Amino acid sequence: MGQTILFPSDREREEKLGKTAWEKGDYGKAQSHFERAYQAVPDYQLNRQIVSCLEKQGAFYQALQFAEEFQEEYDQDPAGFDQLFHLYLLHQDFLMARKYLCLATRRPALADFDFAQAKQELKQLEQVFAFYDLESVQEKREYLLQVNRSLFPVPQGKWEEVLARLPYASFVSIAKEVLAKARNPYLRPRLVEELVKLGYQEELVIQDVKGVAQTCCFKDLRLPLELPTLRQMLQYLEKEHGQEDPILLDSIKGEVEAHFALAYPFAPQIKAPLEWAESYWQEYQVALGSIPAESLTSFARFSWRNKTCVTCCKSSSKNEKNAKKARDLV
């Protein structure tokens, strides 16, 4: 009986050709072979090889984007985590590198990772960059101060541009200055969230939605979506009114989340979350004409209509339009 000869699959052949090209230093050709193998059977190890090819060619941003397809695997693998961390450094995305480290400290799979060494590398690179890029830091400071005075939100693309290549110490300095005289209801929570994600631990004096200076302790501060108060409000609405009008409820939940985020880190809802949640439902019922306006009397202190923040009040004044839109969809 003749011997069976097994030929390599297309994937195996392309992967072997990719490794040969890699060993010769032809990273573009290696990438092409690895990509063809990846198209046949995508997996984490092939993803890492393609990311490595992109890194060797200086395409750091593209490498980070491609890695997102297996983000969870990178986050749980010490070698993969180290690869992405150094890509952030090469891309000079210092704040993202720091946030990545902060998230990783909570992952048991990375318990043996040398975080001290990684933090030292990041710190040294930031110091060098800060010395040679003082003008850029000052421009970003002036931009955020201007945004604070304008009361308009920062477009996502511009926000990413501001954070790019910005050392941690410079960002903290800018955030302190802006938050001390915060007027923009969109900018304050965004800066605070960034500080929390970066592991900031100190206290800051911040102006709340009413313009009152309050001391905020970042050591125990959590992100808005992680706070139990917001979950309580949304769960209450779902339990009490989920069967009455699901489409309307979605509109209300969206507004609850938006207002909670705008008031962060001093959300007034924390003191009486269930009453606040019910006030939203009642306001929409009044807007729909389902109940008389007098029904809101007992909820007056929980209404965003009574807040001094102009932007928040404008948002609340849209209740009638949102309610009509929700009704029209039924």
Side-chain angles (χ1 to χ4, degrees):
M1 188 173 181
Q3 185 178 4
T4 302
I5 300 176
L6 297 177
F7 292 95
S9 65
D10 290 342
R11 181 190 186 280
E12 293 172 331
R13 182 172 61 257
E14 291 293 346
E15 189 173 2
K16 185 175 181 180
L17 290 170
K19 290 179 179 179
T20 300
W22 172 273
E23 291 169 358
K24 294 180 179 179
D26 192 343
Y27 303 116
K29 187 175 181 180
Q31 179 186 339
S32 297
H33 286 299
F34 287 141
E35 284 178 342
R36 283 194 282 271
Y38 191 80
Q39 289 171 0
V41 184
D43 64 27
Y44 171 56
Q45 292 304 326
L46 265 177
N47 186 284
R48 283 197 62 196
Q49 288 175 310
I50 295 170
V51 166
S52 295
C53 289
L54 289 166
E55 178 184 340
K56 288 291 188 180
Q57 297 172 84
F60 308 129
Y61 181 68
Q62 292 91 324
L64 288 166
Q65 285 187 310
F66 191 76
E68 289 178 1
E69 294 185 23
F70 283 89
Q71 188 68 57
E72 291 184 12
E73 286 76 6
Y74 279 96
D75 294 346
Q76 299 296 330
D77 173 28
F81 175 85
D82 185 64
Q83 184 176 14
L84 287 197
F85 171 72
H86 282 93
L87 268 173
Y88 285 124
L89 296 187
L90 290 168
H91 189 48
Q92 298 179 344
D93 198 343
F94 309 123
L95 296 182
M96 191 61 225
R98 186 175 293 271
K99 284 185 280 190
Y100 198 45
L101 285 178
C102 288
L103 285 172
T105 55
R106 299 182 237 167
R107 297 192 177 101
L110 300 176
D112 296 330
F113 184 79
D114 192 346
F115 287 102
Q117 175 62 29
K119 290 177 180 178
Q120 184 62 25
E121 285 184 60
L122 173 57
K123 184 177 179 180
Q124 290 175 346
L125 191 58
E126 284 182 315
Q127 288 175 339
V128 172
F129 193 84
F131 181 78
Y132 289 104
D133 203 36
L134 294 174
E135 185 176 346
S136 174
V137 172
Q138 185 58 31
E139 288 176 357
K140 293 176 179 182
R141 183 190 305 273
E142 292 299 326
Y143 172 75
L144 289 179
L145 288 171
Q146 179 183 350
V147 169
N148 187 45
R149 294 189 293 268
S150 73
L151 303 181
F152 289 105
V154 183
Q156 182 60 31
K158 186 62 178 179
W159 179 254
E160 292 174 359
E161 185 181 322
V162 169
L163 298 186
R165 296 177 296 283
L166 185 62
Y168 173 69
S170 299
F171 175 76
V172 171
S173 174
I174 295 172
K176 284 182 177 180
E177 184 176 351
V178 176
L179 290 171
K181 46 192 172 186
R183 295 178 61 240
N184 188 324
Y186 299 105
L187 188 56
R188 179 192 59 257
R190 201 156 197 180
L191 288 171
V192 173
E193 283 194 39
E194 283 297 322
L195 288 170
V196 173
K197 292 176 183 177
L198 289 165
Y200 187 75
Q201 297 285 298
E202 300 177 23
E203 292 185 350
L204 285 183
V205 175
I206 305 173
Q207 287 196 28
D208 63 15
V209 290
K210 295 182 178 180
V212 178
Q214 295 197 44
T215 300
C216 179
C217 180
F218 280 79
K219 185 177 181 180
D220 302 315
L221 195 60
R222 298 161 69 181
L223 295 172
L225 293 179
E226 296 176 357
L227 292 171
T229 300
L230 180 58
R231 288 199 299 272
Q232 280 182 289
M233 294 177 69
L234 298 178
Q235 288 171 358
Y236 170 85
L237 288 168
E238 191 69 46
K239 179 181 178 182
E240 297 297 324
H241 304 293
Q243 301 303 315
E244 297 178 42
D245 193 334
I247 296 178
L248 178 61
L249 181 62
D250 285 342
S251 295
I252 296 174
K253 288 166 69 175
E255 190 166 347
V256 168
E257 292 175 346
H259 284 164
F260 196 88
L262 280 170
Y264 183 74
F266 305 115
Q269 298 95 326
I270 292 176
K271 295 181 180 179
L274 303 188
E275 289 82 355
W276 271 94
E278 183 62 27
S279 75
Y280 280 91
W281 180 262
Q282 295 294 330
E283 285 189 358
Y284 270 78
Q285 294 306 305
V286 169
L288 285 168
S290 302
I291 60 176
E294 293 75 20
S295 302
L296 296 179
T297 303
S298 59
F299 294 98
R301 67 192 182 95
F302 304 112
S303 174
W304 279 89
R305 298 178 193 278
N306 298 325
K307 302 304 171 190
T308 56
C309 174
V310 175
T311 305
C312 294
C313 288
K314 284 182 179 178
S315 178
S316 184
S317 69
K318 294 180 181 177
N319 279 358
E320 187 171 349
K321 292 181 180 179
N322 289 341
K324 183 179 184 300
K325 181 179 179 181
R327 179 180 56 197
D328 292 342
L329 289 173
V330 177

